[in-house]
Amino acid sequence: SGGQALRQIPAHMIESVEVITNPSARYEAEGEAGVINIVLKKEKERSLNGSFEVSTGYPGNHGLNYTLNWRNENIGITSSYGLLYREFEGGGELRQSFNDPSEPDYTSKRNHKRGGLNHNIRLGADWYAANQNTFSLSGFYNIGRNNNRALLDYQFLNENGSVIEKVDRADDESENRDILEIEMRHEKVFGDKEHKWTSSINRNRRDDKEHNEIMESSTNTSDIIQKVDNREDAQTIIVKSDFSYPFAKEGLFETGIFGSFRDI
């Protein structure tokens, strides 16, 4: 997602930020307001650089990540790893009253605590071949392990305000998420940097598993125990090829193809 992607880009790697109000199809714009294009720096000489960052916050928001890049005349290698632990609590209260005395008033209180640990690792390599050809291969893997607990308290009141039934419900949820993404890319530049042909194929697979254990007790009825398992899988393959050709002084001609194959 966009938020996760932005958190993985150290500030020193950004060369400029462009606002494109009339994006072409190759930007895959969603909506009508345009896109924000983040241009990253490209090292032109042999170099080794990296960054290391630690962050903490309250309520629980602790992070650790690093990036490391190496490049020579023909090959560039990049790697990054990020770890994020988040935890937060919340709650609420609701009351409903009815004019009809036969309908009991109703109150509910909810307290929940959510959080978990996420890891992500990214590896990539570029081969700067002859005749301004660049071949790239990159991979991304994300592991998310979250635990969520919710406690709910329901009370039903008669017209005198006395409790006629009380229900307590506890919901414990564990959520496991795995995301794997692999991309291959080729770029050919014909002299001018805007005169180029790029092609890529991207495969993204996401697996989500949720397990809930719910226990409910009532003063008027027997206890209820529920176990719920939910699994969601999604796979997307995106194939695209774009060609751009500058002409005249400010003109730019663009054409390309795009294919998306999705299995949910």
Side-chain angles (χ1 to χ4, degrees), residues 167-226:
V167 179
D168 294 314
R169 181 182 176 93
D171 184 353
D172 290 295
E173 178 191 63
S174 61
E175 180 183 4
N176 297 335
R177 182 187 66 249
D178 295 275
I179 302 173
L180 175 63
E181 181 176 312
I182 298 175
E183 181 175 79
M184 292 184 292
R185 189 172 186 270
H186 168 252
E187 179 180 89
K188 165 66 175 176
V189 179
F190 302 90
D192 189 297
K193 66 177 183 178
E194 294 293 338
H195 185 191
K196 60 185 177 180
W197 176 31
T198 60
S199 301
S200 66
I201 178 169
N202 179 291
R203 179 183 182 269
N204 181 295
R205 180 170 181 84
R206 180 188 182 112
D207 296 320
D208 282 292
K209 297 178 183 178
E210 296 176 0
H211 176 75
N212 290 69
E213 293 192 1
I214 303 167
M215 180 173 289
E216 183 175 293
S217 60
S218 170
T219 54
N220 293 4
T221 59
S222 357
D223 292 350
I224 298 174
I225 298 175
Q226 292 177 296

Side-chain angles (χ1 to χ4, degrees), residues 63-78:
L64 170 71
N65 66 75
Y66 89 89
T67 62
L68 187 64
N69 305 285
W70 175 81
R71 187 187 191 280
N72 65 13
E73 295 177 355
N74 303 111
I75 298 175
I77 297 175
T78 181

